[in-house]
Amino acid sequence: MAYECPSRPVFSVLVVGCGLSGLASALALAQAGHRVTVFERSVKLQEIGAGIQLSPNATRLIQHWGIFDEVLKYADRPEAGTFRSHRGDVCSQSPPVSDPRLVSNAPYIMIHRADLLRAVLSGTGKHNIEIKLSSEVKEIDFNKPSLRLSTGEIYEADFILGADGERSHCRGTLLGQPDPPYSPGDVVYRISVPTKDITEDHLSWDLARRSSVNFWMGPGGHVVSYLIRHDMLNIVLIYAEGTSDKAMYGPQQADIEEFRSKILGWDPVLHELINVEGAVCTKWTLFQIHEPAQWCHVNGRFTLIGDAAHAILPCLAQGAAQAFEDAGVLGGIFSQPVGRNQIPDALRIFEQVRKPRASDVRRRTLDQKAMFALASGLDQEARDVKLRAGADFELFKWLWEYDAVESGREAWKEFTKIHESGTKIRNGI
């Protein structure tokens, strides 16, 4: 039987969660002409954290959604990237954050998470996206589909997106049981260092005077530093501290001396940086999720997106980028002629496009984390030789050249072409 497919029906879409993932997908779908309502249980919007790096696969989408100029008001573009040993020896001019082969059309940028959220939010007003704060979702009816809030209000739609993060209520509802994230023992220390008092005679002057992304790789973890808000160095240590009963959800105040104890014997530049007056240290636990076997409900009117589907460690700077890719593919698919009875097919195609890549990025991120944390020895020496030879360029090329919107469009076109061919054959044409 042939599908009924009006040229461009307008769908109503409900999004659970108003973080970067939910807002980006709302923006992408609204830009494609659909009506979107976003539900957020918090009383106000706020993005936890400080700095975030966005590679070209993410900024390409920001350009497509028409918010690039707004993002650039707050962002810094790095002039260089550097991988160093923990003692400070330069291994390579990588990641290739200023390489014209990779960033000429869509740049690599660094930005404060709150500023990025503000910029994405600015785009929602142009498309009449409705955002409902203080709206906690208690139940999801996958059949209608509909949401029931804690107030008892019920909202129905053509389909629903679960974008409520790594501690996702939506994921547990889809799986039929709670599915909390788990900690493999990794923690994050972050120090925010104001650059105004870093003078030319300071060891870290070069880090403060120009925008760059710098990695130090050492036993048990790695440090990355980059500029945000034009005057603040964001210094992050990811460290394998071991499992603990004291999980920290989100940044909590920490002692700078605790940070220092993890990097004893490391580059003196790092120690000088954390001595800068005004430096503030926070710490939190890194969580992972058990990768769901499927993102979509069998009824085809609900799917997980973002961290709810594929929470990724920050070791390749791909957490937000992968959430944006979800949004890009959704926008690419639903900007095409999709009939109302084709929504299950469209969401299935979305999962087929996104799930393998997100899983691959997740795996490569774990590989990168292990590579960064090698103890001194033969494996570390072999790593440094490969980095000096530019062996990681192909990884960044694969990551950064991806066009999520085009992937969504082409996947849906291919599906409809195959389906139409099959219909013709069954009809004897």
Side-chain angles (χ1 to χ4, degrees):
M1 181 180 73
Y3 282 106
E4 296 177 9
C5 185
S7 58
R8 285 289 302 278
V10 175
F11 300 136
S12 60
V13 186
L14 306 181
V15 181
V16 183
C18 199
L20 289 173
S21 173
L23 277 179
S25 289
L27 183 56
L29 289 167
Q31 188 182 61
H34 305 291
R35 296 190 305 272
V36 186
T37 304
V38 185
F39 298 86
E40 171 58 45
R41 67 179 181 178
S42 302
V43 296
K44 65 178 181 178
L45 292 181
Q46 56 184 0
E47 188 63 33
I48 295 174
I52 188 169
Q53 302 172 69
L54 291 178
S55 49
N57 50 318
T59 56
R60 184 173 296 112
L61 293 166
I62 289 170
Q63 291 171 335
H64 181 79
W65 297 329
I67 57 173
F68 186 61
D69 289 342
E70 186 68 21
V71 169
L72 285 186
K73 290 179 183 178
Y74 310 103
D76 288 276
R77 297 194 198 192
E79 299 174 26
T82 307
F83 280 146
R84 295 174 166 89
S85 75
H86 69 286
R87 296 187 179 90
D89 304 316
V90 175
C91 297
S92 73
Q93 299 299 318
S94 191
V97 293
S98 59
D99 192 315
R101 292 172 293 176
L102 296 180
V103 301
S104 57
N105 295 320
Y108 195 105
I109 63 173
M110 300 93 68
I111 189 171
H112 196 287
R113 293 184 75 94
D115 294 334
L116 179 59
L117 186 72
R118 186 182 301 115
V120 177
L121 190 62
S122 73
T124 63
K126 304 172 186 176
H127 296 285
N128 296 317
I129 296 169
E130 186 176 8
I131 298 175
K132 292 184 173 294
L133 301 177
S134 301
S135 298
E136 183 179 4
V137 173
K138 298 298 286 185
E139 291 182 7
I140 303 173
D141 186 327
F142 296 112
N143 297 313
K144 286 186 178 180
S146 67
L147 302 175
R148 185 179 69 81
L149 304 185
S150 58
T151 59
E153 297 171 276
I154 294 175
Y155 292 85
E156 296 186 12
D158 291 301
F159 63 95
I160 299 171
L161 304 178
D164 54 342
E166 62 187 10
R167 291 190 282 168
S168 172
H169 169 72
C170 291
R171 185 175 65 247
T173 303
L174 176 68
L175 297 176
Q177 61 185 23
D179 186 44
Y182 67 94
S183 169
D186 300 313
V187 296
V188 178
Y189 291 87
R190 182 184 69 230
I191 296 185
S192 301
V193 179
T195 60
K196 61 183 177 65
D197 294 327
I198 298 178
T199 56
E200 290 186 38
D201 58 346
H202 199 280
L203 284 177
S204 61
W205 168 245
D206 188 60
L207 300 183
R209 73 177 179 86
R210 65 171 183 157
S211 183
S212 57
V213 179
N214 305 278
F215 285 84
W216 289 261
M217 304 172 289
H222 73 277
V223 173
V224 59
S225 79
Y226 52 90
L227 198 66
I228 56 172
R229 289 182 168 170
H230 316 307
D231 63 357
M232 183 74 68
L233 273 173
N234 191 55
I235 304 169
V236 176
L237 166 66
I238 296 177
Y239 193 81
E241 198 168 77
T243 55
S244 169
D245 295 332
K246 298 180 180 179
M248 291 171 286
Y249 294 95
Q252 299 181 20
Q253 201 70 31
D255 188 341
I256 285 181
E257 293 308 312
E258 188 178 344
F259 181 108
R260 194 191 306 278
S261 71
K262 308 298 182 185
I263 58 168
L264 290 176
W266 288 40
D267 191 348
V269 170
L270 286 173
H271 288 273
E272 284 298 306
L273 266 177
I274 63 179
N275 286 335
V276 172
E277 186 176 354
V280 177
C281 185
T282 54
K283 176 185 179 182
W284 66 96
T285 303
L286 272 183
F287 291 95
Q288 297 186 41
I289 66 169
H290 301 285
E291 196 168 353
Q294 60 188 49
W295 299 354
C296 293
H297 189 267
V298 291
N299 286 352
R301 300 281 174 158
F302 171 90
T303 188
L304 297 169
I305 59 171
D307 282 353
H310 51 69
I312 293 172
L313 295 180
C315 305
L316 271 176
Q318 285 296 303
Q322 291 308 298
F324 283 7
E325 284 187 11
D326 290 349
V329 171
L330 283 168
I333 291 172
F334 284 97
S335 66
Q336 305 299 300
V338 177
R340 203 168 301 276
N341 56 352
Q342 289 181 302
I343 290 174
D345 292 316
L347 293 183
R348 179 170 53 83
I349 295 300
F350 162 74
E351 182 174 328
Q352 288 177 358
V353 171
R354 287 295 303 137
K355 195 171 188 298
R357 177 169 164 87
S359 295
D360 208 356
V361 172
R362 195 170 185 236
R363 176 184 60 79
R364 290 172 188 244
T365 297
L366 292 173
D367 291 344
Q368 194 85 343
K369 173 180 172 289
M371 182 196 80
F372 282 158
L374 290 174
S376 299
L378 293 177
D379 288 342
Q380 165 261 316
E381 291 172 3
R383 174 200 69 193
D384 293 352
V385 168
K386 289 179 180 178
L387 287 174
R388 291 188 182 99
D392 58 346
F393 182 82
E394 289 303 315
L395 168 62
F396 293 113
K397 187 173 186 292
W398 172 78
L399 270 176
W400 296 357
E401 289 187 343
Y402 183 75
D403 188 326
V405 174
E406 190 61 23
S407 293
R409 285 174 181 158
E410 290 304 311
W412 184 250
K413 287 178 182 177
E414 182 66 19
F415 168 80
T416 54
K417 183 171 69 174
I418 292 172
H419 176 79
E420 288 169 1
S421 297
T423 300
K424 289 177 180 180
I425 291 171
R426 288 196 299 274
N427 292 338
I429 299 175

